């Protein structure tokens, strides 16, 4: 095939064609986007509808929006103020963030910046735990915490976070710390810094993007966590938001109070949505470089 | 500047090689590095022993016992494992999980790749679209969204009515044992944003010159995708397949919330972990549940091994990209 004929085929075309292509692209992208974001818009609209209209009404947004659902929420559920669930979730999420930031960054520093015997073996073990299904550990951990009489406390939910068991974050931070130039440590060494000092004053400040990514993911994961609280918490006063929401339905899954349930869903989503809007750049870049899962 | 500095060698192997010939100061430094390393790692080591390795050993032991949390475990040999194969609900849970993984994972990855290809073209508003498509991956794991999903797929709700327009009458998906699993599949496919972002990162690495050269040679869009893009992003594809498959095996919260607390109707959404949860935490069959957990581990290990084995055939690693 000769090159003269193929140059004509280059996908550039005239300016008119380019604009048409761009229009088609945006139409396609917006169509997919409409389907993808529909459930989010739906929950916003539904939370302002009367209970009887939530399922059957075809309107995305109500013609006469009402606030009854949110007013109902303020009364709480089963004698527990909604705020209690939020307080518990907040305690869990903030506790988890602090734990992950401290323990994972210390571990990552050791893997990335200290040459010690057995490092490679331990690193492979750490990576290996990434693929291990959590369910294998679930029952023995439950038995252990039960024997230690720690059921119905936040210790089983938080302990792992303070002991760097979430290998994803260790891995993310190791990757980041490895990208920092070695000369930094050497200069610090010359100035008389020990490892602790180097870690705290040099490496940590430079790792801020990785730390922020880990913190946001940890917060959102803890906020969304369902299985952990389901297994370890049984006093409704200690329930997190995820568990508290389950109180809106009976065991058949039928909601006793649709309006309250949807309003609660929206309110429970708000922290995650706000975090996402504020930090989406960090989240998406962190995701792309490390394969972290939300 | 005080004492001369001995720089740390590149790899642990190097320090070992030089150790015999090294002066005492260097030896001391090596020992100090070891100590520092283990001190920094001590949270992880404690966590690994206490929360990972220890429990794994215990779990393996429980798997061969009859244990209800209150009695001392009674050794029963392989009973728990043979029992699984006679347990229709266990078989059902394997079937449901397999269906969920086999249908949901490819659909999710196809959609992720499709949208990533769309977004890989440089257009205005790219960052906005990327963020908007990623959002469900974060919120999708929450109980809130599972509730919303239930509502959208209820009898006479939007999905049902839309399908009626096309003459398909399902009624409420969530109450229908034949359809409820697809409701969960839809929920996982909806969260395609996470693999999409990884695909996008991979697509950015594909050199434009390759496409231009192929276009010069008269290769159409499909051929270029098949012969250039796909091989170039195959490491990313492999990563996504591996991660999504392992994740799908472990689905729990959405099955528990979207269906009902016993993962019905008619065990239609009795995913593996849901049955494990029921046996362990509702029926206090800790031994049986542990055996089930080990079967899950075996399945995940097997799938991982098969994927790693198969990657030799279809995953291309660029020499210079490594």
């Amino acid at each position: 095939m000769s090159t003269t004929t193929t140059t004509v085929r280059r996908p550039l075309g005239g300016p008119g064609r380019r604009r048409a292509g761009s229009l088609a692209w945006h139409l396609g992208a917006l169509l997919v986007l409409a389907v993808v974001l529909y459930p989010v818009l739906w929950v916003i609209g539904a939370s302002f509808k009367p209970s009887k209209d939530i399922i059957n009404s075809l309107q995305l947004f109500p013609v006469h929006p009402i606030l009854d659902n949110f007013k109902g929420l303020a009364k709480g559920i089963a004698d527990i103020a909604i705020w209690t669930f939020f307080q518990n979730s907040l305690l869990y999420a903030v506790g988890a963030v602090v734990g992950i930031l401290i323990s994972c960054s210390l571990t990552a520093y050791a893997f990335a910046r200290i040459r010690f015997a057995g490092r490679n073996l331990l690193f492979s073990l750490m990576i290996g735990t990434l693929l291990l299904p959590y369910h294998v550990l679930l029952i023995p951990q439950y038995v252990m915490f039960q024997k230690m009489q720690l059921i119905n406390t936040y210790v089983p939910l938080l302990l792992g976070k303070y002991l760097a068991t979430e290998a994803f974050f260790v891995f993310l931070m190791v990757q980041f710390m490895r990208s920092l130039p070695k000369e930094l440590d050497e200069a610090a060494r010359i100035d008389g810094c020990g490892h602790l000092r180097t870690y705290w004053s040099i490496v940590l400040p430079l790792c801020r993007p990785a730390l922020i990514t880990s913190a946001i993911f940890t917060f959102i994961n803890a906020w969304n966590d369902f299985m952990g609280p389901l297994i370890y918490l049984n006093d409704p006063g200690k329930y997190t938001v995820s568990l508290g929401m389950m109180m809106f339905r009976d065991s058949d899954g039928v909601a006793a109070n649709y309006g309250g349930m949807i309003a609660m869903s929206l309110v429970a989503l708000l922290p995650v949505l706000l975090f996402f809007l504020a930090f989406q750049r960090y989240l998406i870049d962190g995701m792309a470089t490390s394969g972290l899962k939300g | 500047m005080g004492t001369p500095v001995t720089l740390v060698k590149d790899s642990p192997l190097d320090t070992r090689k030089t150790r015999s010939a090294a002066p005492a100061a260097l030896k001391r430094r090596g020992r100090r590095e070891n100590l520092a390393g283990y001190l920094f790692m001590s949270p992880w080591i404690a966590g690994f022993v206490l929360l990972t390795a220890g429990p794994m050993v215990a779990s393996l032991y429980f798997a061969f016992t009859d244990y209800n949390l209150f009695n001392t475990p009674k050794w029963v040999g392989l009973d728990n494992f043979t029992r699984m194969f006679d347990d229709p609900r266990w078989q059902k849970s394997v079937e449901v999980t397999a269906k969920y993984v086999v249908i949901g994972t490819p659909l999710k990855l196809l959609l992720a790749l499709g949208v990533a290809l769309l977004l890989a073209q440089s257009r205005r508003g790219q960052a906005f679209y990327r963020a908007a498509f990623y959002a469900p991956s974060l919120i999708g794991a929450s109980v809130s969204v599972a509730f919303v999903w239930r509502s959208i797929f209820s009898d006479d709700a939007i999905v049902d009515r839309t399908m009626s327009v096309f003459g398909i009458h399902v009624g409420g998906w969530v109450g229908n044992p034949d359809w409820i699993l697809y409701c969960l599949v839809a929920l996982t496919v909806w969260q395609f944003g996470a693999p999409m972002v990884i695909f996008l990162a991979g697509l950015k690495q594909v050199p434009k010159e390759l496409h231009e050269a192929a276009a010069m040679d008269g290769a159409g869009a499909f051929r270029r995708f098949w012969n250039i893009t796909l091989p170039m992003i195959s490491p990313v594809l492999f990563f996504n397949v591996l991660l999504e498959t392992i994740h799908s095996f472990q689905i729990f919260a959405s099955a528990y919330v979207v269906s009902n607390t016993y993962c019905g109707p008619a065990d239609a959404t009795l995913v593996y972990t849901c049955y494990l949860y029921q046996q362990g935490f509702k029926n206090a069959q800790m031994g049986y549940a542990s055996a089930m957990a080990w079967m899950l581990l075996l399945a995940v290990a097997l799938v991982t091994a098969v994927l790693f084995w198969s990657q030799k055939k279809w995953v291309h690693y660029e020499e210079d990209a490594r």
Side-chain angles (χ1 to χ4, degrees), chain B residues 285-309:
Chain B
Q285 300 260 348
M286 294 295 185
Y288 191 44
S290 295
M292 281 182 62
W294 275 89
M295 289 298 276
L296 178 67
L297 177 65
L298 279 181
V300 169
L302 193 71
V303 169
T304 310
V306 168
L307 282 173
F308 267 99
W309 168 80

Side-chain angles (χ1 to χ4, degrees), chain A residues 25 36 117 141 249 252 293, chain B residues 34 38 118 190 244 257 262:
Chain A
W25 184 90
V36 167
Q141 283 187 4
R249 40 174 272 184
D252 283 329
K293 291 279 138 160
Chain B
N34 281 348
Y38 285 103
L118 191 69
W190 182 62
E244 291 302 331
V257 179
Y262 42 86

Side-chain angles (χ1 to χ4, degrees), chain A residues 6 22 25-26 36 56 58 115-117 135 139-141 182 195 224 249 251-253 261 265 276 293, chain B residues 8 10 33-34 38 51 55 118 123-124 129 131 138 142 144 147 150 161 190 216 244 257 260 262 273 289:
Chain A
T6 47
S22 174
W25 184 90
H26 279 285
V36 167
N56 302 334
L58 281 188
R115 320 273 155 195
F116 61 94
H135 304 87
I139 284 162
Q141 283 187 4
K182 244 194 331 213
H195 277 302
N224 283 341
R249 40 174 272 184
S251 65
D252 283 329
M261 185 180 104
S265 298
F276 174 71
K293 291 279 138 160
Chain B
V8 187
D10 252 328
E33 289 291 296
N34 281 348
Y38 285 103
L51 296 173
L118 191 69
R123 306 266 180 190
R124 216 179 296 167
Y129 287 113
L138 277 185
S142 66
S144 305
F147 271 10
R150 241 193 104 76
R161 291 210 194 180
W190 182 62
M216 291 275 198
E244 291 302 331
V257 179
N260 51 40
Y262 42 86
T273 55

Side-chain angles (χ1 to χ4, degrees), chain B residues 89 252 260-264 267 270 273-285:
Chain B
R89 291 195 78 206
F252 176 77
N260 51 40
T261 54
Y262 42 86
C263 293
D267 285 347
L270 189 74
T273 55
C274 204
Y275 190 46
L276 193 155
Y277 169 79
Q278 286 181 10
Q279 288 295 351
F281 296 94
K282 296 267 177 203
N283 304 343
Q285 300 260 348

Side-chain angles (χ1 to χ4, degrees), chain A residues 65-123:
Chain A
I66 53 157
L67 285 172
D68 295 13
N69 300 326
F70 295 98
K71 282 181 193 151
L73 270 193
K75 284 190 215 121
I77 182 162
D79 292 332
I80 299 167
I82 297 298
W83 171 240
T84 309
F85 301 137
F86 278 84
Q87 225 174 334
N88 293 338
S89 277
L90 207 63
L91 171 85
Y92 177 23
V94 172
V97 168
V98 172
I100 289 282
L101 287 187
I102 299 172
S103 67
C104 294
S105 66
L106 281 170
T107 308
Y109 179 85
F111 277 135
R113 313 300 280 192
I114 306 178
R115 320 273 155 195
F116 61 94
R119 186 180 65 159
N120 294 345
L121 175 73
L122 291 178
F123 191 71

Side-chain angles (χ1 to χ4, degrees), chain A residues 115-117, chain B residues 7-22 26 29-30 33-34:
Chain A
R115 320 273 155 195
F116 61 94
Chain B
L7 296 183
V8 187
K9 293 292 182 295
D10 252 328
S11 88
L13 285 175
D14 289 347
T15 29
R16 213 169 298 148
K17 241 183 264 167
T18 49
R19 189 170 292 161
S20 53
L26 194 68
R29 163 134 298 157
E33 289 291 296
N34 281 348

Side-chain angles (χ1 to χ4, degrees), chain A residues 1 6-7 9-10 18 21-22 25-26 28-30 32-33 35-40 42-43 55-56 58 103 106-107 109-111 114-120 122 125-126 129 131-147 159-160 162-165 168 182 186 189-190 195-196 199 217 220 224 226-227 230-231 242 245-246 248-249 251-254 258 261-262 265 268-269 272-273 276 280 283-285 287-288 290-294, chain B residues 1 5 7-12 29 33-34 36-38 40-41 43-48 50-52 55-56 58-59 62 67 69-70 115 118-119 121 123-124 128-139 141-145 147-152 154-158 161 190 192 194-195 197-198 201 212 215-218 239 242-244 246-247 250 252-253 256-262 273 276-277 280-281 286 289-290 293-294 296-297 300 304:
Chain A
M1 201 171 293
T6 47
T7 41
R9 284 167 162 244
R10 291 188 61 181
R18 223 179 307 162
S22 174
W25 184 90
H26 279 285
L30 282 173
V32 184
L33 192 63
V35 177
V36 167
L37 290 190
Y38 180 83
V40 182
W42 184 87
V43 68
I55 295 296
N56 302 334
L58 281 188
S103 67
L106 281 170
T107 308
Y109 179 85
F111 277 135
I114 306 178
R115 320 273 155 195
F116 61 94
R119 186 180 65 159
N120 294 345
L122 291 178
L125 276 178
M126 196 266 303
T129 62
L131 297 175
L132 184 71
Y134 173 65
H135 304 87
V136 180
L137 312 174
L138 192 65
I139 284 162
Q141 283 187 4
Y142 182 83
V143 171
M144 182 177 85
F145 289 120
Q146 203 261 349
K147 300 266 186 250
L159 186 64
Y162 285 82
L163 297 179
T165 52
F168 262 130
K182 244 194 331 213
E186 287 160 7
R189 185 69 45 91
I190 290 166
H195 277 302
L196 206 57
Y199 157 78
F217 267 110
I220 292 175
N224 283 341
F226 179 66
M227 198 179 207
L230 178 70
I231 286 168
S242 304
M245 286 187 34
M246 296 300 285
F248 281 93
R249 40 174 272 184
S251 65
D252 283 329
V254 180
Y258 252 113
M261 185 180 104
I262 292 298
S265 298
L269 267 184
V272 183
L273 280 174
F276 174 71
Q280 44 99 359
L283 288 172
I284 293 174
D285 291 343
M287 173 82 215
S290 66
L292 274 171
K293 291 279 138 160
Chain B
M1 203 167 81
V5 188
L7 296 183
V8 187
K9 293 292 182 295
D10 252 328
S11 88
R29 163 134 298 157
E33 289 291 296
N34 281 348
Y38 285 103
F40 270 83
M41 299 231 18
W44 181 82
I45 293 172
F48 183 76
L50 196 69
L51 296 173
T52 307
M56 271 188 88
S59 171
F62 290 154
Y67 182 42
L69 197 60
F70 305 107
V115 177
L118 191 69
L119 293 194
Q121 303 177 28
R123 306 266 180 190
R124 216 179 296 167
F128 161 74
Y129 287 113
R130 194 178 71 145
F133 286 131
Y134 181 63
S137 291
L138 277 185
I139 61 174
S142 66
V143 171
S144 305
V145 168
F147 271 10
V148 171
W149 220 252
R150 241 193 104 76
S151 312
I152 296 180
S154 301
D155 197 8
D156 218 21
I158 180 85
R161 291 210 194 180
W190 182 62
F192 69 88
V197 168
I198 297 178
E212 280 162 14
M216 291 275 198
D217 289 343
F239 180 80
L242 184 69
L243 225 60
E244 291 302 331
I246 292 176
H247 271 264
Q250 299 174 48
F252 176 77
Y256 190 92
V257 179
V258 172
S259 43
N260 51 40
T261 54
Y262 42 86
T273 55
L276 193 155
Y277 169 79
F281 296 94
M286 294 295 185
S290 295
W294 275 89
L296 178 67
L297 177 65
V300 169
T304 310

